[in-house]
Amino acid sequence: MDDARWMGRALALAARGLGETNPNPVVGCVLVRGERVVAEGWHVRAGGPHAEVVALDRAGPRARGATLYVTLEPCAHHGRTPPCAPRVRDSGVGRVVVALADPSLHAGGRGLRLLRRAGIPVTTGVLAGQAARLDDRFLVSARGGRPFVILKAALTLDGRIATSSGRSKWITSAAQRRQARWLRRLQDGVLVGIGTVLADDPRLMPAPAVRRSFARVVLDTGLRLPVRSRLVRSVRKRAPVIAVSGPAPLDRRRRLERAGVEVIAVPSPRGRVSLPHALSALGARGWTSLMVEGGSETLGSFLRERLFDQVALFRAPLLLGGRGSLSAFGGDDPAGFDEALRLRPVPDDPPFPWPFEPQFELWVPDRAGR
């Protein structure tokens, strides 16, 4: 059996669910017997059947004796759907090959143990790196107890995101903005600071193709979010608005809640919303990934706290200059370069299944390079 070949096919199937399965992982499955594909499937959307169930349903009795390739450990717990590990066990497959074990607390390797106890040979780790890249949002959330965070900035070559008067439209090209919206749809939601809302009055809606729920989060220590803002006026069940605040006047909170905004109060030392508490509160509500889109102070706060997993930089061939123009990452001034965080580019080998040629740079913190 060419395990890498068939797992590669399972990963290609899993990628079809990108942006639709949240907060679930993307998963692909292939059933192979005698070097021929018996059936295949992928997880299409949260609440729908898992990839293994889709493939087994399509295979029927032909699954007996086949090898099942799946990109993530079959689950053994009840969620929105019944567990699929027992279904795999009872299908009669002769072998199971898994790219990644599920690190979630509720999973804990139970699916793999269930299959092995049934006498089914199980191989793990095949193309694990590719599977982890595809499901990085789910894996960070499952392991860290907080949402995966990607910081996004559209900036000039000298690192500016707005003029001194706050003008920022448009730094990047229309094609880059389309790609930024595609990145947004991979996440469970978008997060901005109240300054961005007051300055730009954005709606922060997901792409029309996104049919799942999508959170729009505002860090707003004093609940200054205007009820007549475009954000609040566009409150929908599919795209809820969440205001994360500190202690705030009760009348402001009630006014926003009557307008359909969910208000989450968290500790706010020194007049700033505690980012660890904010992320924990959002994670507890089921949001597993967020794209932070500004402004400068909010991006700088996530940088200062080291609370992010990726950085997406959309650079425009512009030099803005000026003492008052805004830098992408604001916040407190560091004392020296020893306070800087070293980054490394996200490798694209093997390539991620982008539906375009990326016009942005993707970076991750280089923890070992500090």
Side-chain angles (χ1 to χ4, degrees):
M1 278 285 187
D2 188 349
D3 288 348
R5 172 191 174 190
W6 298 119
M7 187 60 75
R9 174 59 185 166
L11 287 166
L13 292 169
R16 297 183 184 183
L18 283 169
E20 289 300 328
T21 65
N22 304 44
N24 292 353
V26 294
V27 183
C29 179
V30 180
L31 281 160
V32 178
R33 186 170 58 185
E35 293 299 310
R36 294 186 63 182
V37 173
V38 173
E40 56 188 28
W42 68 93
H43 187 36
V44 175
R45 64 180 59 90
H50 289 186
E52 304 95 311
V53 173
V54 172
L56 290 171
D57 281 347
R58 290 174 176 170
R62 294 177 298 154
R64 187 164 299 278
T67 297
L68 183 145
Y69 292 88
V70 65
T71 58
L72 187 70
E73 171 187 351
C75 64
H77 63 280
H78 280 269
R80 297 187 186 183
T81 58
C84 47
R87 176 71 188 278
V88 174
R89 176 197 61 198
D90 299 338
S91 68
V93 298
R95 179 174 174 244
V96 174
V97 181
V98 177
L100 287 173
D102 188 337
S104 306
L105 290 177
H106 55 250
R110 290 168 55 198
L112 297 177
R113 288 196 297 272
L114 183 149
L115 297 175
R116 286 174 171 143
R117 286 170 182 168
I120 300 174
V122 177
T123 301
T124 60
V126 177
L127 300 189
Q130 294 183 43
R133 174 89 192 278
L134 207 59
D135 264 326
D136 53 5
R137 291 162 299 283
F138 169 77
L139 295 174
V140 166
S141 176
R143 291 167 179 158
R146 64 158 178 82
F148 172 96
V149 174
I150 178 171
L151 308 183
K152 173 257 178 181
L155 65 165
T156 62
L157 292 179
D158 51 344
R160 307 296 178 166
I161 62 172
T163 66
S164 58
S165 63
R167 293 181 59 186
S168 59
K169 295 182 179 180
W170 294 104
I171 289 176
T172 51
S173 68
Q176 287 175 307
R177 294 195 295 275
R178 285 194 296 270
Q179 293 189 8
R181 287 193 293 272
W182 197 90
L183 272 184
R184 181 187 288 181
R185 73 181 289 270
L186 291 185
Q187 320 307 325
D188 284 348
V190 60
L191 182 149
V192 298
I194 184 60
T196 294
V197 176
L198 296 177
D200 299 338
D201 195 21
R203 292 175 69 239
L204 302 175
M205 291 294 290
V210 176
R211 291 169 288 181
R212 56 181 171 81
S213 186
F214 182 89
R216 297 174 293 166
V217 182
V218 181
L219 298 183
D220 185 7
T221 305
L223 286 185
R224 295 184 290 156
L225 178 60
V227 174
R228 297 302 301 165
S229 65
R230 295 204 308 157
L231 193 64
V232 175
R233 286 189 287 119
S234 64
V235 167
R236 301 175 185 173
K237 184 177 181 180
R238 187 173 64 88
V241 174
I242 302 172
V244 182
S245 75
L250 186 59
D251 62 326
R252 295 185 189 177
R253 176 169 185 153
R254 287 175 174 169
R255 189 162 57 245
L256 287 171
E257 288 177 336
R258 283 196 299 268
V261 176
E262 180 183 357
V263 178
I264 302 174
V266 300
S268 299
R270 299 182 300 279
R272 294 175 175 171
V273 167
S274 166
L275 295 185
H277 284 92
L279 291 178
S280 294
L282 293 167
R285 283 161 172 77
W287 307 109
T288 62
S289 59
L290 295 167
M291 186 152 84
V292 180
E293 297 197 22
S296 176
E297 291 299 311
T298 298
L299 289 168
S301 295
F302 277 89
L303 172 60
R304 181 183 63 250
E305 302 255 5
R306 305 300 196 244
L307 280 174
F308 65 95
D309 305 285
Q310 286 184 358
V311 183
L313 298 180
F314 291 79
R315 297 184 191 271
L318 301 172
L319 290 174
L320 185 59
R323 296 187 181 89
S325 52
L326 286 179
S327 64
F329 296 86
D332 300 331
D333 291 326
F337 282 103
D338 58 335
E339 297 183 26
L341 177 63
R342 187 176 299 276
L343 303 176
R344 57 181 173 83
V346 174
D348 204 35
D349 183 22
F352 188 82
W354 304 112
F356 43 68
E357 183 66 30
Q359 297 184 38
F360 56 88
E361 305 160 21
L362 202 58
W363 302 82
V364 293
D366 185 2
R367 310 294 185 188
R370 280 296 305 272

